[in-house]
Amino acid sequence: MTRARMRVCSEPGCPNTQREHRCLEHRRQVEQARGTTAQRGYGSAHQHTRKAWRPAVEAGRVRCARCRRPIRPGQAWDLGHDDRDRSRYRGPEHVACNRATAGRASP
């Protein structure tokens, strides 16, 4: 088993060492700055919709709303928002397909 090496926190001026990019204190600050799950668009409606999709996704009967390839049973997935209207959902997406959209956003 390989052990992760210790590194200095990536926040400027922080001398703490840890195995992650940021020390625990700075990770907490980053999470607080992101807002609550509801503020980010993952409130009760999102959770209810994701729960409704779960049985079909876990049975392997769903295709990714972005790439159209199957989402395999046990594979991590996200409930994808519409790129132009975050109040709408596209459907289940592979984690990589969903989280890559931020880098592809056009101005």
Side-chain angles (χ1 to χ4, degrees), residues 42 62-71 77-86 88-106:
Y42 308 110
V62 176
R63 292 184 174 272
C64 174
R66 289 201 184 267
C67 72
R68 307 306 304 157
R69 287 181 290 192
I71 299 175
W77 62 282
D78 290 333
L79 178 58
H81 286 96
D82 183 86
D83 292 340
R84 291 190 173 93
D85 181 359
R86 287 190 53 80
R88 297 179 55 182
Y89 300 108
R90 293 174 47 100
E93 300 176 355
H94 294 108
V95 168
C97 293
N98 178 270
R99 297 181 188 180
T101 59
R104 292 190 298 238
S106 59

Side-chain angles (χ1 to χ4, degrees), residues 45-65:
H46 180 89
Q47 293 169 18
H48 178 76
T49 304
R50 182 179 161 87
K51 186 177 180 179
W53 275 104
R54 184 174 295 129
V57 173
E58 289 179 354
R61 297 189 315 257
V62 176
R63 292 184 174 272
C64 174

Side-chain angles (χ1 to χ4, degrees), residues 11 23-35:
E11 291 295 318
C23 66
L24 181 59
E25 176 184 346
H26 289 116
R27 283 191 307 236
R28 285 183 183 144
Q29 289 174 357
V30 168
E31 282 301 310
Q32 286 177 339
R34 292 178 67 200

